[in-house]
Amino acid sequence: MFKSFRTSDGGEYPRLVSVETTSRCNAECPFCPYNVRARDKTHMDQALFEKIIDDCTEFPLPAIEPFLNGEPFVDPKIMSRLELIRSRLPRAKLRVYSNGYALSPKRVDELCGMGIDHLYISLNTLNPQKYHAIMGFKLDRTLENVKYLADPSRRTKVARKITLRMTRMDDTTLEEQDAFKKFCDQIGVRCFIVGLFNYKGDVSSPLPIPKYACEHITRLDILSSGKVALCCMDQEGAYALGDVNEHSVLEVFRGEASRRYQDLHRAGRRAEIEPCGKCNLFWPSTDNMPLARAIGHAARFWAYFATYRPVGKKAPPVTLCPTHAAEVPDVSAASLRRAPDKEISGPAA
């Protein structure tokens, strides 16, 4: 929080670039819009991928994720793409997301020494029947893969950090969550339990719409076609900010469309924006803001987390709570109003 991502000329640059090397996935998760997505399911062209990586060398990119709305390890070129990222962007944190089903022991061995900073695996449950209903996979195979990569002899060679993720749904019991945490502890990896995003209203979720700025205004999400989506929730690219086939990564991020969303979110006007006003993505942004305004957004963020507990162990909801957003403690609107242009430079990192 409260960081500044700016070049020497004062212009902003993204703190994270997410690159959809493939829009294909091997899972069938009901809380993901992948199965009803209309756009083509394709792998990214290699020349386009290389251009994106070259674009990212023009500024001090903090982090990159070769993932968006697909499973990275169904991309036949993923290993060479990871190698290119690591060689061209050696200082950027490399984070990889997977459902783990295609992470066979052979593939895990190939990842050893790749230089991945953080590997996230979406496991979601340890109940075999429920896992099959959610993912469409047999749990035994995924668990074998996870245990292999988490073995102490290779764990830190695969990635500096490994996290197993559980998406907490309406029927996820406390017992399931306890068992998940215990399993993570037993194999020596991190545990992350998180509530359900609503994909701007496309997926049912009990969590209300936040009133603070969204973290996506400081990142860039590139679809496999090269179109830059508004965020990871914009699975069709319907609210595109630009196209990296035609412009550089930095040009799109600094473009008029991107700047509009940044300004409105930072001014506390999220509710007025389509589709942000109906999206419950709850990760906040307080970067590149005047300090007083950043503190106002942070206060709303902590109030939301304290009230709704979107992360961590939580009992299943008794009833849905879309009308409860009004109960979040408010913050002075004056602290969220858009500042004059001369105040836009945020606090030093």
Side-chain angles (χ1 to χ4, degrees), residues 57-76:
T57 65
E58 298 174 357
F59 56 94
L61 178 65
I64 186 167
E65 297 173 355
F67 162 82
L68 196 56
N69 286 298
E71 163 57 43
F73 293 102
V74 303
D75 175 7

Side-chain angles (χ1 to χ4, degrees), residues 205-276:
S205 169
L207 293 169
I209 313 303
K211 297 179 180 179
Y212 46 81
C214 176
E215 62 106 1
H216 273 276
I217 63 173
T218 56
R219 59 180 279 176
L220 212 62
D221 296 283
I222 306 172
L223 303 181
S224 57
S225 65
K227 183 185 289 187
V228 179
L230 172 61
C231 63
C232 66
M233 302 290 149
D234 181 21
Q235 68 272 13
E236 302 288 359
Y239 303 90
L241 303 178
D243 193 320
V244 291
N245 288 289
E246 303 168 2
H247 302 281
S248 73
V249 166
L250 204 54
E251 286 172 338
V252 174
F253 185 75
R254 292 178 175 177
E256 182 178 349
S258 181
R259 183 65 183 177
R260 174 178 174 271
Y261 282 100
Q262 292 166 5
D263 287 349
L264 288 171
H265 271 263
R266 288 167 180 165
R269 298 169 61 187
R270 175 173 178 160
E272 303 173 28
I273 315 169
E274 174 66 28
C276 310

Side-chain angles (χ1 to χ4, degrees), residues 131-178:
Y131 181 80
H132 186 268
I134 294 173
M135 311 287 287
F137 299 145
K138 292 183 178 180
L139 179 62
D140 287 348
R141 171 172 162 172
T142 306
L143 288 183
E144 288 174 5
N145 293 345
V146 168
K147 290 175 182 177
Y148 184 84
L149 68 87
D151 185 276
S153 66
R154 64 182 66 85
R155 183 190 305 147
T156 56
K157 297 177 184 178
V158 174
R160 291 177 59 196
K161 300 176 184 177
I162 299 174
T163 296
L164 297 190
R165 173 175 173 143
M166 166 185 272
T167 296
R168 197 181 61 215
M169 295 179 286
D170 288 351
D171 62 347
T172 303
T173 66
L174 291 174
E175 291 75 18
E176 279 186 273
Q177 295 171 63
D178 286 337

Side-chain angles (χ1 to χ4, degrees), residues 206 208 211 307-308 319-328:
K211 297 179 180 179
T307 304
Y308 300 108
T319 58
L320 299 183
C321 55
T323 62
H324 291 181
E327 298 176 8
V328 178

Side-chain angles (χ1 to χ4, degrees), residues 98-125:
S98 173
N99 56 46
Y101 193 73
L103 277 175
S104 64
K106 178 182 178 181
R107 179 52 55 86
V108 169
D109 289 342
E110 292 173 344
L111 288 176
C112 289
M114 184 67 72
I116 296 173
D117 290 284
H118 205 153
L119 173 63
Y120 292 85
I121 298 177
S122 295
L123 190 57
N124 299 311
T125 183

Side-chain angles (χ1 to χ4, degrees), residues 285-312:
S285 175
T286 58
D287 300 324
N288 292 339
M289 297 184 195
L291 184 58
R293 192 196 303 171
I295 290 173
H297 283 285
R300 289 193 173 193
F301 160 67
W302 288 116
Y304 183 99
F305 264 53
T307 304
Y308 300 108
R309 295 167 53 205
V311 172

